[in-house]
Amino acid sequence: MVNEKTYIMLKPDAVKRRLIGEIVSRIEKKGYQITQAKLMTLDKKVIAEHYAHLLHKPFYPNLEAYMTSGPVFGMVVEGENVIAGMRQLMGPTNVYEALPGTIRGDYANNTTENIIHGSDCKEAATIEIKRFFG
Ligand code: DAT
Ligand code: MG
């Protein structure tokens, strides 16, 4: 039993499409606990930090425009093995590989606008929780 924390972020289209409640409900039904949450509007600087591994990619300008297009809903989510568990619940990055039943599989049809972020490892979770919650 490893109790972990992860950083989950509902991206701007999730907020615009009024899907916060529905997605939060799926996370809670899985048995995870939301221990911090807030709406925030991100600037280009914090997006460049958060997606530093993608700055050189051809799709980065689209990703930056998308992530700064409206408020996001950031959360700290806690539970046993929650980092991997949330990645499984979210579905893969490539939205065409995200099966129905996953959050991306059910709500997204575009790989850039893929509705939800979740930390991919313990180190990233620690850094991202600090970045967005201080
Ligand atoms: P994830 O969000 O699954 O951790 P990532 O960290 O590799 O994936 O990428 C961050 C975001 O960048 C991803 O959620 C959507 C966008 N992205 C990644 N790869 C992409 C691609 N090949 N085409 C378009 N957007 C992409
Ligand atoms: Mg990632």
Side-chain angles (χ1 to χ4, degrees), residues 7-56:
Y7 177 68
I8 299 297
M9 175 160 60
L10 307 187
K11 297 180 179 180
D13 57 329
V15 177
K16 281 194 194 95
R17 291 165 60 195
R18 310 288 195 263
L19 292 172
I20 295 174
E22 215 165 299
I23 297 172
V24 164
S25 168
R26 289 169 73 138
I27 295 169
E28 291 188 321
K29 280 180 188 156
K30 177 75 180 172
Y32 299 140
Q33 193 181 0
I34 291 148
T35 54
Q36 296 193 73
K38 65 179 171 189
L39 274 173
M40 54 195 146
T41 302
L42 304 178
D43 60 24
K44 290 181 179 180
K45 187 168 165 277
V46 77
I47 292 302
E49 271 175 32
H50 184 66
Y51 287 135
H53 60 298
L54 300 172
L55 279 170
H56 60 290

Side-chain angles (χ1 to χ4, degrees), residues 11 51 53-54 59 63 87 93 104 111-112 114 117-118:
K11 297 180 179 180
Y51 287 135
H53 60 298
L54 300 172
F59 59 79
L63 179 62
R87 295 286 300 190
T93 311
R104 285 171 169 168
T111 291
T112 298
N114 64 4
H117 166 83

Side-chain angles (χ1 to χ4, degrees), residues 31-125:
Y32 299 140
Q33 193 181 0
I34 291 148
T35 54
Q36 296 193 73
K38 65 179 171 189
L39 274 173
M40 54 195 146
T41 302
L42 304 178
D43 60 24
K44 290 181 179 180
K45 187 168 165 277
V46 77
I47 292 302
E49 271 175 32
H50 184 66
Y51 287 135
H53 60 298
L54 300 172
L55 279 170
H56 60 290
K57 297 280 190 186
F59 59 79
Y60 185 78
N62 283 342
L63 179 62
E64 180 192 73
Y66 167 54
M67 290 301 299
T68 56
S69 68
V72 299
F73 189 70
M75 290 175 269
V76 177
V77 179
E78 297 194 24
E80 191 178 325
N81 202 29
V82 72
I83 297 172
M86 273 305 308
R87 295 286 300 190
Q88 200 172 40
L89 212 59
M90 285 162 48
T93 311
N94 181 337
V95 95
Y96 306 112
E97 290 171 6
L99 295 176
T102 65
I103 293 168
R104 285 171 169 168
D106 285 347
Y107 301 108
N109 60 45
N110 175 298
T111 291
T112 298
E113 303 191 7
N114 64 4
I115 213 135
I116 187 167
H117 166 83
S119 310
D120 60 11
C121 64
K122 228 179 158 75
E123 294 69 34

